[in-house]
Amino acid sequence: MITALHVLVNCKKRELKNLGYYHGYKGYRFAGIAKNRLHLQSFEQISSLNSFDMALKSLIYPRIIAVETALKNYTLEEVLQDAESPFLALVLFSWVSSRR
């Protein structure tokens, strides 16, 4: 027999899966070390943790992406200068050919 509680539990499980946080919840059951357990007892607590996590990521990721992009571009520029070629495809072809 399907009860209202059963439907609610399944709905919350689906919401956790949609958040992509079902696995994350298991990973965030503790802070740092397993002895520091987080006492998450409701979907609202898990949802709040997810919201905090997403807000933190939205602050940090754009800066990380900017640094990553700059590093890739500077590295690529150095590789092309060292190879004395403005064409990445030629540099890669030359490198692959030399490895055969």
Side-chain angles (χ1 to χ4, degrees):
M1 179 175 157
I2 297 176
T3 64
L5 179 61
H6 182 76
V7 171
L8 180 64
V9 167
N10 283 338
C11 180
K12 295 303 180 188
K13 281 183 179 180
R14 187 172 44 253
E15 287 181 51
L16 283 172
K17 288 178 184 178
N18 290 342
L19 288 173
Y21 221 68
Y22 198 63
H23 175 73
Y25 162 68
K26 292 177 183 178
Y28 283 111
R29 288 179 293 184
F30 56 88
I33 57 175
K35 290 190 292 185
N36 296 334
R37 293 196 66 83
L38 298 176
H39 299 287
L40 302 173
Q41 299 176 350
S42 69
F43 176 77
E44 287 71 26
Q45 290 173 324
I46 296 167
S47 181
S48 292
L49 181 59
N50 180 62
S51 294
F52 171 77
D53 188 43
M54 294 303 289
L56 186 61
K57 286 176 183 176
S58 70
L59 289 173
I60 295 172
Y61 280 1
R63 289 162 179 82
I64 290 173
I65 291 169
V67 170
E68 176 192 13
T69 300
L71 285 172
K72 286 190 293 187
N73 289 336
Y74 283 106
T75 302
L76 181 57
E77 185 178 350
E78 290 298 317
V79 166
L80 293 175
Q81 283 180 2
D82 186 55
E84 298 177 351
S85 173
F87 303 106
L88 182 59
L90 292 177
V91 172
L92 293 175
F93 179 77
S94 176
W95 183 81
V96 169
S97 296
S98 71
R99 302 289 184 243
R100 289 183 183 168

Short mmCIF file of all heavy atoms in Angstrom, two decimals, residues 46-98:
data_model
loop_
_atom_site.label_atom_id
_atom_site.label_comp_id
_atom_site.label_asym_id
_atom_site.label_seq_id
_atom_site.Cartn_x
_atom_site.Cartn_y
_atom_site.Cartn_z
N ILE A 46 19.59 19.34 4.14
CA ILE A 46 20.40 18.91 2.99
C ILE A 46 20.29 19.95 1.88
O ILE A 46 21.29 20.34 1.27
CB ILE A 46 19.95 17.53 2.49
CG1 ILE A 46 20.20 16.48 3.57
CG2 ILE A 46 20.67 17.16 1.20
CD1 ILE A 46 19.52 15.16 3.31
N SER A 47 19.09 20.45 1.65
CA SER A 47 18.87 21.48 0.63
C SER A 47 19.64 22.76 0.97
O SER A 47 20.23 23.38 0.10
CB SER A 47 17.37 21.76 0.51
OG SER A 47 17.14 22.73 -0.47
N SER A 48 19.64 23.13 2.24
CA SER A 48 20.40 24.31 2.67
C SER A 48 21.90 24.12 2.47
O SER A 48 22.60 25.04 2.03
CB SER A 48 20.13 24.62 4.15
OG SER A 48 18.80 25.04 4.31
N LEU A 49 22.39 22.92 2.77
CA LEU A 49 23.81 22.63 2.56
C LEU A 49 24.13 22.71 1.07
O LEU A 49 25.16 23.27 0.67
CB LEU A 49 24.15 21.24 3.11
CG LEU A 49 25.60 20.79 2.98
CD1 LEU A 49 26.54 21.75 3.69
CD2 LEU A 49 25.76 19.38 3.53
N ASN A 50 23.23 22.19 0.24
CA ASN A 50 23.42 22.27 -1.20
C ASN A 50 23.44 23.72 -1.67
O ASN A 50 24.28 24.11 -2.48
CB ASN A 50 22.32 21.50 -1.93
CG ASN A 50 22.49 21.57 -3.42
OD1 ASN A 50 23.48 21.11 -3.97
ND2 ASN A 50 21.53 22.16 -4.09
N SER A 51 22.53 24.54 -1.17
CA SER A 51 22.47 25.95 -1.55
C SER A 51 23.76 26.67 -1.15
O SER A 51 24.30 27.47 -1.92
CB SER A 51 21.28 26.64 -0.90
OG SER A 51 20.08 26.11 -1.41
N PHE A 52 24.25 26.39 0.05
CA PHE A 52 25.51 26.98 0.49
C PHE A 52 26.66 26.55 -0.40
O PHE A 52 27.47 27.36 -0.83
CB PHE A 52 25.80 26.59 1.95
CG PHE A 52 27.17 26.98 2.41
CD1 PHE A 52 27.45 28.30 2.74
CD2 PHE A 52 28.19 26.04 2.50
CE1 PHE A 52 28.71 28.68 3.16
CE2 PHE A 52 29.45 26.41 2.92
CZ PHE A 52 29.71 27.73 3.24
N ASP A 53 26.70 25.26 -0.71
CA ASP A 53 27.75 24.71 -1.57
C ASP A 53 27.72 25.37 -2.95
O ASP A 53 28.76 25.77 -3.48
CB ASP A 53 27.57 23.19 -1.68
CG ASP A 53 28.71 22.50 -2.38
OD1 ASP A 53 29.87 22.83 -2.10
OD2 ASP A 53 28.44 21.61 -3.21
N MET A 54 26.54 25.52 -3.52
CA MET A 54 26.41 26.15 -4.84
C MET A 54 26.81 27.62 -4.80
O MET A 54 27.46 28.12 -5.73
CB MET A 54 24.98 26.00 -5.37
CG MET A 54 24.59 24.55 -5.65
SD MET A 54 25.68 23.72 -6.82
CE MET A 54 25.21 24.55 -8.31
N ALA A 55 26.44 28.33 -3.73
CA ALA A 55 26.82 29.74 -3.60
C ALA A 55 28.33 29.88 -3.49
O ALA A 55 28.93 30.77 -4.11
CB ALA A 55 26.13 30.35 -2.38
N LEU A 56 28.96 28.99 -2.72
CA LEU A 56 30.41 29.01 -2.57
C LEU A 56 31.09 28.74 -3.91
O LEU A 56 32.03 29.44 -4.30
CB LEU A 56 30.84 27.99 -1.53
CG LEU A 56 32.30 27.95 -1.13
CD1 LEU A 56 32.72 29.30 -0.54
CD2 LEU A 56 32.54 26.84 -0.12
N LYS A 57 30.59 27.74 -4.63
CA LYS A 57 31.16 27.42 -5.94
C LYS A 57 31.00 28.58 -6.91
O LYS A 57 31.90 28.86 -7.70
CB LYS A 57 30.48 26.17 -6.52
CG LYS A 57 30.90 24.89 -5.86
CD LYS A 57 30.12 23.72 -6.42
CE LYS A 57 30.47 22.43 -5.71
NZ LYS A 57 29.65 21.31 -6.19
N SER A 58 29.85 29.26 -6.87
CA SER A 58 29.64 30.37 -7.80
C SER A 58 30.57 31.53 -7.51
O SER A 58 30.86 32.33 -8.39
CB SER A 58 28.17 30.81 -7.80
OG SER A 58 27.85 31.46 -6.59
N LEU A 59 31.05 31.64 -6.29
CA LEU A 59 32.03 32.67 -5.96
C LEU A 59 33.44 32.28 -6.41
O LEU A 59 34.21 33.12 -6.86
CB LEU A 59 32.06 32.91 -4.44
CG LEU A 59 30.88 33.61 -3.82
CD1 LEU A 59 30.99 33.60 -2.31
CD2 LEU A 59 30.77 35.03 -4.34
N ILE A 60 33.75 31.01 -6.31
CA ILE A 60 35.12 30.55 -6.55
C ILE A 60 35.38 30.14 -8.00
O ILE A 60 36.41 30.48 -8.56
CB ILE A 60 35.45 29.37 -5.60
CG1 ILE A 60 35.44 29.87 -4.15
CG2 ILE A 60 36.80 28.76 -5.92
CD1 ILE A 60 35.55 28.77 -3.12
N TYR A 61 34.45 29.41 -8.62
CA TYR A 61 34.69 28.86 -9.95
C TYR A 61 35.07 29.89 -11.01
O TYR A 61 35.98 29.64 -11.80
CB TYR A 61 33.50 28.03 -10.41
CG TYR A 61 33.46 26.63 -9.85
CD1 TYR A 61 34.42 26.16 -8.96
CD2 TYR A 61 32.45 25.75 -10.20
CE1 TYR A 61 34.36 24.89 -8.45
CE2 TYR A 61 32.39 24.47 -9.69
CZ TYR A 61 33.35 24.05 -8.81
OH TYR A 61 33.30 22.78 -8.32
N PRO A 62 34.40 31.03 -11.09
CA PRO A 62 34.80 31.99 -12.13
C PRO A 62 36.27 32.41 -12.02
O PRO A 62 36.95 32.58 -13.03
CB PRO A 62 33.87 33.18 -11.90
CG PRO A 62 32.67 32.59 -11.24
CD PRO A 62 33.21 31.49 -10.38
N ARG A 63 36.76 32.53 -10.81
CA ARG A 63 38.17 32.90 -10.62
C ARG A 63 39.10 31.75 -11.00
O ARG A 63 40.14 31.97 -11.60
CB ARG A 63 38.39 33.35 -9.18
CG ARG A 63 37.74 34.70 -8.91
CD ARG A 63 37.57 34.97 -7.43
NE ARG A 63 36.98 36.27 -7.16
CZ ARG A 63 35.67 36.53 -7.21
NH1 ARG A 63 34.83 35.57 -7.53
NH2 ARG A 63 35.21 37.72 -6.93
N ILE A 64 38.70 30.55 -10.65
CA ILE A 64 39.51 29.37 -11.00
C ILE A 64 39.56 29.22 -12.52
O ILE A 64 40.61 28.95 -13.10
CB ILE A 64 38.94 28.10 -10.34
CG1 ILE A 64 39.17 28.16 -8.83
CG2 ILE A 64 39.56 26.84 -10.94
CD1 ILE A 64 38.51 27.04 -8.06
N ILE A 65 38.43 29.40 -13.18
CA ILE A 65 38.37 29.28 -14.64
C ILE A 65 39.24 30.34 -15.29
O ILE A 65 39.94 30.08 -16.28
CB ILE A 65 36.92 29.32 -15.13
CG1 ILE A 65 36.20 28.05 -14.70
CG2 ILE A 65 36.85 29.49 -16.65
CD1 ILE A 65 34.70 28.08 -14.90
N ALA A 66 39.22 31.56 -14.76
CA ALA A 66 40.05 32.63 -15.32
C ALA A 66 41.53 32.29 -15.20
O ALA A 66 42.29 32.48 -16.15
CB ALA A 66 39.75 33.96 -14.62
N VAL A 67 41.95 31.76 -14.06
CA VAL A 67 43.35 31.37 -13.87
C VAL A 67 43.70 30.21 -14.80
O VAL A 67 44.75 30.22 -15.44
CB VAL A 67 43.62 31.00 -12.39
CG1 VAL A 67 44.98 30.36 -12.22
CG2 VAL A 67 43.50 32.25 -11.51
N GLU A 68 42.82 29.22 -14.88
CA GLU A 68 43.06 28.07 -15.75
C GLU A 68 43.20 28.51 -17.22
O GLU A 68 44.12 28.08 -17.92
CB GLU A 68 41.91 27.08 -15.63
CG GLU A 68 42.04 25.90 -16.57
CD GLU A 68 40.78 25.06 -16.66
OE1 GLU A 68 39.71 25.50 -16.19
OE2 GLU A 68 40.88 23.96 -17.22
N THR A 69 42.32 29.39 -17.66
CA THR A 69 42.38 29.87 -19.04
C THR A 69 43.67 30.63 -19.31
O THR A 69 44.32 30.42 -20.34
CB THR A 69 41.16 30.77 -19.34
OG1 THR A 69 39.97 29.98 -19.14
CG2 THR A 69 41.18 31.30 -20.76
N ALA A 70 44.06 31.49 -18.38
CA ALA A 70 45.30 32.24 -18.55
C ALA A 70 46.50 31.30 -18.61
O ALA A 70 47.38 31.46 -19.48
CB ALA A 70 45.46 33.25 -17.41
N LEU A 71 46.55 30.32 -17.72
CA LEU A 71 47.67 29.36 -17.72
C LEU A 71 47.74 28.60 -19.04
O LEU A 71 48.82 28.41 -19.60
CB LEU A 71 47.55 28.39 -16.56
CG LEU A 71 47.91 28.94 -15.19
CD1 LEU A 71 47.55 27.93 -14.10
CD2 LEU A 71 49.38 29.30 -15.11
N LYS A 72 46.59 28.15 -19.53
CA LYS A 72 46.58 27.43 -20.81
C LYS A 72 47.07 28.33 -21.95
O LYS A 72 47.86 27.90 -22.78
CB LYS A 72 45.18 26.90 -21.12
CG LYS A 72 44.77 25.72 -20.28
CD LYS A 72 43.49 25.08 -20.77
CE LYS A 72 42.31 25.98 -20.59
NZ LYS A 72 41.03 25.33 -20.90
N ASN A 73 46.60 29.56 -21.97
CA ASN A 73 46.99 30.46 -23.06
C ASN A 73 48.47 30.81 -23.00
O ASN A 73 49.14 30.83 -24.04
CB ASN A 73 46.13 31.73 -23.03
CG ASN A 73 44.71 31.45 -23.46
OD1 ASN A 73 44.45 30.49 -24.18
ND2 ASN A 73 43.80 32.28 -23.02
N TYR A 74 48.99 31.10 -21.82
CA TYR A 74 50.42 31.40 -21.70
C TYR A 74 51.27 30.19 -22.05
O TYR A 74 52.30 30.31 -22.71
CB TYR A 74 50.77 31.91 -20.30
CG TYR A 74 50.37 33.34 -20.08
CD1 TYR A 74 49.27 33.66 -19.30
CD2 TYR A 74 51.09 34.38 -20.66
CE1 TYR A 74 48.89 34.99 -19.09
CE2 TYR A 74 50.72 35.71 -20.46
CZ TYR A 74 49.63 36.00 -19.68
OH TYR A 74 49.27 37.31 -19.49
N THR A 75 50.83 29.01 -21.62
CA THR A 75 51.56 27.78 -21.95
C THR A 75 51.55 27.53 -23.44
O THR A 75 52.59 27.22 -24.04
CB THR A 75 50.93 26.58 -21.20
OG1 THR A 75 50.97 26.84 -19.80
CG2 THR A 75 51.66 25.30 -21.52
N LEU A 76 50.39 27.67 -24.07
CA LEU A 76 50.30 27.47 -25.51
C LEU A 76 51.18 28.47 -26.26
O LEU A 76 51.88 28.10 -27.21
CB LEU A 76 48.84 27.62 -25.96
CG LEU A 76 48.57 27.42 -27.45
CD1 LEU A 76 49.06 26.05 -27.91
CD2 LEU A 76 47.09 27.58 -27.73
N GLU A 77 51.17 29.71 -25.82
CA GLU A 77 52.01 30.72 -26.47
C GLU A 77 53.49 30.35 -26.38
O GLU A 77 54.23 30.46 -27.36
CB GLU A 77 51.78 32.08 -25.81
CG GLU A 77 52.52 33.21 -26.49
CD GLU A 77 52.22 34.56 -25.84
OE1 GLU A 77 51.31 34.65 -25.00
OE2 GLU A 77 52.92 35.51 -26.19
N GLU A 78 53.92 29.86 -25.23
CA GLU A 78 55.32 29.45 -25.06
C GLU A 78 55.66 28.25 -25.93
O GLU A 78 56.73 28.19 -26.52
CB GLU A 78 55.62 29.15 -23.58
CG GLU A 78 55.65 30.37 -22.70
CD GLU A 78 56.73 31.36 -23.10
OE1 GLU A 78 57.86 30.94 -23.40
OE2 GLU A 78 56.41 32.57 -23.12
N VAL A 79 54.74 27.28 -26.01
CA VAL A 79 54.97 26.09 -26.84
C VAL A 79 55.13 26.51 -28.30
O VAL A 79 56.04 26.05 -29.00
CB VAL A 79 53.81 25.08 -26.68
CG1 VAL A 79 53.84 24.01 -27.77
CG2 VAL A 79 53.85 24.45 -25.30
N LEU A 80 54.25 27.39 -28.77
CA LEU A 80 54.32 27.82 -30.17
C LEU A 80 55.58 28.64 -30.44
O LEU A 80 56.20 28.49 -31.50
CB LEU A 80 53.07 28.63 -30.54
CG LEU A 80 51.76 27.82 -30.55
CD1 LEU A 80 50.58 28.73 -30.80
CD2 LEU A 80 51.82 26.70 -31.57
N GLN A 81 56.00 29.48 -29.49
CA GLN A 81 57.23 30.25 -29.67
C GLN A 81 58.45 29.32 -29.69
O GLN A 81 59.34 29.48 -30.52
CB GLN A 81 57.38 31.30 -28.57
CG GLN A 81 56.52 32.50 -28.77
CD GLN A 81 56.68 33.53 -27.65
OE1 GLN A 81 57.48 33.35 -26.74
NE2 GLN A 81 55.92 34.60 -27.74
N ASP A 82 58.45 28.36 -28.79
CA ASP A 82 59.57 27.42 -28.72
C ASP A 82 59.65 26.59 -30.00
O ASP A 82 60.74 26.26 -30.47
CB ASP A 82 59.40 26.50 -27.51
CG ASP A 82 60.60 25.60 -27.29
OD1 ASP A 82 61.73 26.14 -27.19
OD2 ASP A 82 60.41 24.37 -27.24
N ALA A 83 58.51 26.27 -30.58
CA ALA A 83 58.47 25.47 -31.81
C ALA A 83 58.69 26.33 -33.04
O ALA A 83 58.79 25.80 -34.14
CB ALA A 83 57.14 24.76 -31.92
N GLU A 84 58.75 27.63 -32.83
CA GLU A 84 58.92 28.59 -33.93
C GLU A 84 57.85 28.40 -35.00
O GLU A 84 58.13 28.39 -36.20
CB GLU A 84 60.32 28.51 -34.52
CG GLU A 84 61.40 28.85 -33.51
CD GLU A 84 62.80 28.70 -34.06
OE1 GLU A 84 62.99 28.17 -35.17
OE2 GLU A 84 63.73 29.10 -33.34
N SER A 85 56.62 28.23 -34.54
CA SER A 85 55.49 28.06 -35.46
C SER A 85 54.24 28.67 -34.84
O SER A 85 53.98 28.46 -33.66
CB SER A 85 55.24 26.58 -35.72
OG SER A 85 54.05 26.41 -36.47
N PRO A 86 53.47 29.40 -35.63
CA PRO A 86 52.21 29.94 -35.12
C PRO A 86 51.05 28.95 -35.24
O PRO A 86 49.94 29.25 -34.85
CB PRO A 86 51.96 31.15 -36.02
CG PRO A 86 52.57 30.77 -37.32
CD PRO A 86 53.77 29.93 -36.97
N PHE A 87 51.32 27.76 -35.76
CA PHE A 87 50.25 26.81 -36.03
C PHE A 87 50.34 25.61 -35.10
O PHE A 87 51.26 24.80 -35.21
CB PHE A 87 50.30 26.35 -37.49
CG PHE A 87 50.21 27.49 -38.47
CD1 PHE A 87 51.34 27.90 -39.17
CD2 PHE A 87 49.02 28.17 -38.65
CE1 PHE A 87 51.27 28.95 -40.05
CE2 PHE A 87 48.95 29.23 -39.53
CZ PHE A 87 50.08 29.63 -40.23
N LEU A 88 49.41 25.50 -34.21
CA LEU A 88 49.40 24.41 -33.24
C LEU A 88 49.33 23.05 -33.93
O LEU A 88 50.01 22.11 -33.52
CB LEU A 88 48.24 24.57 -32.26
CG LEU A 88 48.15 23.52 -31.16
CD1 LEU A 88 49.41 23.51 -30.31
CD2 LEU A 88 46.93 23.75 -30.29
N ALA A 89 48.55 22.94 -34.97
CA ALA A 89 48.42 21.66 -35.68
C ALA A 89 49.77 21.18 -36.21
O ALA A 89 50.09 19.99 -36.11
CB ALA A 89 47.41 21.78 -36.81
N LEU A 90 50.57 22.10 -36.74
CA LEU A 90 51.91 21.72 -37.24
C LEU A 90 52.82 21.30 -36.11
O LEU A 90 53.60 20.35 -36.25
CB LEU A 90 52.53 22.87 -38.02
CG LEU A 90 51.85 23.24 -39.34
CD1 LEU A 90 52.53 24.45 -39.97
CD2 LEU A 90 51.89 22.06 -40.29
N VAL A 91 52.73 22.00 -34.98
CA VAL A 91 53.55 21.64 -33.82
C VAL A 91 53.19 20.25 -33.34
O VAL A 91 54.07 19.41 -33.10
CB VAL A 91 53.38 22.68 -32.70
CG1 VAL A 91 54.06 22.22 -31.43
CG2 VAL A 91 53.89 24.05 -33.14
N LEU A 92 51.90 19.97 -33.21
CA LEU A 92 51.46 18.66 -32.74
C LEU A 92 51.83 17.56 -33.74
O LEU A 92 52.27 16.48 -33.34
CB LEU A 92 49.96 18.67 -32.48
CG LEU A 92 49.50 19.54 -31.31
CD1 LEU A 92 47.97 19.56 -31.22
CD2 LEU A 92 50.10 19.07 -30.00
N PHE A 93 51.64 17.81 -35.03
CA PHE A 93 52.00 16.84 -36.05
C PHE A 93 53.49 16.53 -35.99
O PHE A 93 53.91 15.38 -36.04
CB PHE A 93 51.59 17.33 -37.44
CG PHE A 93 51.96 16.37 -38.53
CD1 PHE A 93 51.21 15.24 -38.74
CD2 PHE A 93 53.06 16.61 -39.34
CE1 PHE A 93 51.53 14.33 -39.73
CE2 PHE A 93 53.39 15.70 -40.34
CZ PHE A 93 52.64 14.57 -40.54
N SER A 94 54.29 17.57 -35.86
CA SER A 94 55.74 17.40 -35.77
C SER A 94 56.12 16.58 -34.54
O SER A 94 56.96 15.69 -34.59
CB SER A 94 56.42 18.76 -35.73
OG SER A 94 57.80 18.63 -35.55
N TRP A 95 55.50 16.88 -33.44
CA TRP A 95 55.80 16.16 -32.19
C TRP A 95 55.40 14.69 -32.30
O TRP A 95 56.17 13.81 -31.94
CB TRP A 95 55.06 16.82 -31.02
CG TRP A 95 55.38 16.18 -29.72
CD1 TRP A 95 56.48 16.40 -28.94
CD2 TRP A 95 54.59 15.21 -29.03
NE1 TRP A 95 56.43 15.63 -27.82
CE2 TRP A 95 55.27 14.87 -27.84
CE3 TRP A 95 53.39 14.58 -29.29
CZ2 TRP A 95 54.77 13.96 -26.92
CZ3 TRP A 95 52.88 13.66 -28.38
CH2 TRP A 95 53.59 13.36 -27.20
N VAL A 96 54.21 14.43 -32.85
CA VAL A 96 53.73 13.05 -33.00
C VAL A 96 54.65 12.31 -33.98
O VAL A 96 55.02 11.15 -33.72
CB VAL A 96 52.27 13.02 -33.47
CG1 VAL A 96 51.85 11.62 -33.89
CG2 VAL A 96 51.34 13.54 -32.37
N SER A 97 55.02 12.95 -35.05
CA SER A 97 55.89 12.32 -36.05
C SER A 97 57.24 11.96 -35.45
O SER A 97 57.82 10.93 -35.78
CB SER A 97 56.08 13.24 -37.26
OG SER A 97 54.85 13.45 -37.91
N SER A 98 57.76 12.80 -34.60
CA SER A 98 59.07 12.55 -34.02
C SER A 98 59.04 11.41 -33.00
O SER A 98 60.07 10.87 -32.64
CB SER A 98 59.63 13.81 -33.34
OG SER A 98 58.90 14.11 -32.17
#
